[in-house]
Amino acid sequence: MVTISDNVMYWHLPIPAPEETVYSVLSRALYCNGRPYGKTLKELTRTRQATSLFSVFPPIIFHISEQVHPHHPWSSIECILKNHTTLPYFIYFSPPEYRSHIFNNCNSLKFIEDLHKTLGLTVYPYRASPSCPQFCTLCLIEDLNQVGFSFYHREHQLPGVNTCWKHRCTLYNGCQICGPYPIKRCPLLPPGICNCVGGISPLAVQEVTSLTEPLFWLTKESTHLLDLPTPNNGNTYSALKSAAISQGFMQGAHLDYKMLSLALEKRFGRNTLDQLNIPTAQNGRFEKWLARKFQLSRHSRRQPHTIHTLLFIAVFFKSVMDFISILESEPAQTISFLKKQPDDKTARVSLQSILELRDNSTLGISGIASALNTTPNIIIRKIKQVKTHFPLREGTLRRVGTSNLRDISNALKAGDSKQEIAFRHKCGEWIISLIELDNPKLSALRKAAKRSRLVHKHRQNLYNLQKNEPALTRSKLHSKHYAVYDYLNKHDTDWFNKRLPPTNCKQEKSNRTERKNWKIIDQNAARTIRKHLLEEHQHTKPKWRTQTGLLIVAGILSQYHANPKRFPSVKRLLEKICESRDVFTERKLSWAITEMKRQGIGLSINQLRRVAGLTAKDVREKSDFISEFARMVNCEMAEGAFFSTQIQSQKLTRQENQVID
């Protein structure tokens, strides 16, 4: 995985194939390299889990761009994001300036981490990235024939894609025997490879009985978003709204969202939408995301969910290409998704000027905004900040009606949402804002009631969860139902602690055992070692006196190695009695010679090595020591033995030395 160039070590990664994912390139590199999976995976991702490599843009890309050679394509993070991740799919319908903003700041790790939240990937309707890498068996065969190796295609990892658009067959994510990727103990494997001896038995992503035309359309168009040129102008929201209006999805002057939900169900079918986890209606009411899709004034910073946009395009147009051609031919006014700078109009409008025009003229909110050269929303915001009274005009009161005005006020006090109130009483949110200005206490009452209702809702959710699971703990609630845990823990702490008390991690106090007296342990261990040496029988074969062996006899091997300073007596004793291999060999030979003399056996190399348990080579190397010790103990030599000749030669040498002297 590492190459050296110009005295600098770089990762050796293969050149990625077109549309190949980050996980695929690392899998090929490791599979060909043959290094241990766990160790290499920890070096790459700083963890032994490969799941982080499946995300839309893995954080590892920053580490890769720093470690590969400067001439490698992946030295550029922008290249990785554009060509080897699914990020282009999620920002395809975003404004051009926002796409440029992403790639201009992609070298910042903090910006990329925040991008997950900005794009809404954590709350995406359908999973933003697969839990296991997916592949097509027919694409795998084509890749082997064309480029010589198989790899994971990024178009197979898109949301809502469970089939191959090219071959119209289901995708696979592992082996029926080994399990889904990443396989245990082999977290990085190319597609089509597993631990089975007879080859892989592909594991299907899910049982697809029949591929419907709408689902295949969604798969094909999602894949094409990675290759189609991005639109350079126009606004997606405005273009979709214009298409809805032109095709008659209207109720008076407003869009008919119920009709839109029915059109989506007719185009895709209820089963397909449920499979994608995108409901369009519930209890006879359309889902709020349908209306939010077209309300730019309140959600101008919200990034469009690509899968939602594709669903509407399927209703209004034949393909994404038709939609893009209309979008670029009639560009709508673009809306910036970047952080807005403070407005000069807001800064120069003072509350005093607003109150003077209110008291000295008959102007309404719109008239005051025109007089001060600002917008009505700014005027409303200024008045709400100080909670001052702005009376309803007679024309507005007459148009709303006294009874309807009372019902709207009661609904606000009850904490109902403004959208529900507007739908129920057939009025706009502008009228509701004017009613709030007429009674400044309504806003505070509505917020308090809304908060109370939300607390009651989360309390009821916790009641139901505890009813279904009596042994529910805080950790389980945090992992499975984080919204309930987070809200109650922040806004209803006392009740939450009483209902689900925090686990006391502190252990009960127990009587502590007495500390070890290391001085006594040291003395007893030294006494045990001395006793062991004394008990060695004189006629038994000697044993090698090593530090480890004697510590095992004393029973303090692990304690001694942990801290030898605790055992000064044992340490001094070991320094005296522990012997080297050479000393042990001489002691064993001495014992063997003494034993042979006691049994009346003549001294020879073969007899000596058998009794001592040594090799002939060891005996010959100690021939001088053996001759000297045999002479000292008067051990008889075997007839014709090597040592008898050596002893006679030593005697002659000593006699010659005496004559010379």
Side-chain angles (χ1 to χ4, degrees), residues 537-552:
H537 197 274
Q538 184 179 4
H539 301 304
T540 58
K541 186 181 292 186
K543 295 182 180 179
W544 194 359
R545 297 169 183 172
T546 63
Q547 176 177 293
T548 302
L550 294 174
L551 290 174
I552 292 175

Side-chain angles (χ1 to χ4, degrees), residues 138-238:
L138 298 180
C139 291
L140 186 149
I141 296 173
E142 289 185 357
D143 296 337
L144 289 174
N145 294 331
Q146 294 176 3
V147 297
F149 55 86
S150 60
F151 60 90
Y152 296 97
H153 295 249
R154 62 171 176 167
E155 60 263 24
H156 294 155
Q157 323 302 326
L158 296 174
V161 174
N162 293 325
T163 55
C164 177
W165 70 275
K166 189 175 182 181
H167 301 103
R168 298 183 72 120
C169 61
T170 185
L171 297 178
Y172 300 90
N173 62 359
C175 173
Q176 296 180 11
I177 300 174
C178 301
Y181 291 127
I183 296 174
K184 191 175 182 180
R185 299 187 190 90
C186 300
L188 294 170
L189 283 178
I193 297 176
C194 66
N195 295 329
C196 296
V197 179
I200 189 171
S201 301
L203 175 66
V205 174
Q206 63 180 13
E207 293 296 332
V208 182
T209 56
S210 61
L211 179 60
T212 60
E213 186 277 330
L215 192 58
F216 178 70
W217 182 93
L218 184 64
T219 300
K220 182 178 65 174
E221 297 300 326
S222 298
T223 303
H224 289 345
L225 293 184
L226 298 174
D227 302 323
L228 289 175
T230 54
N232 295 323
N233 49 18
N235 183 279
T236 304
Y237 287 114
S238 300

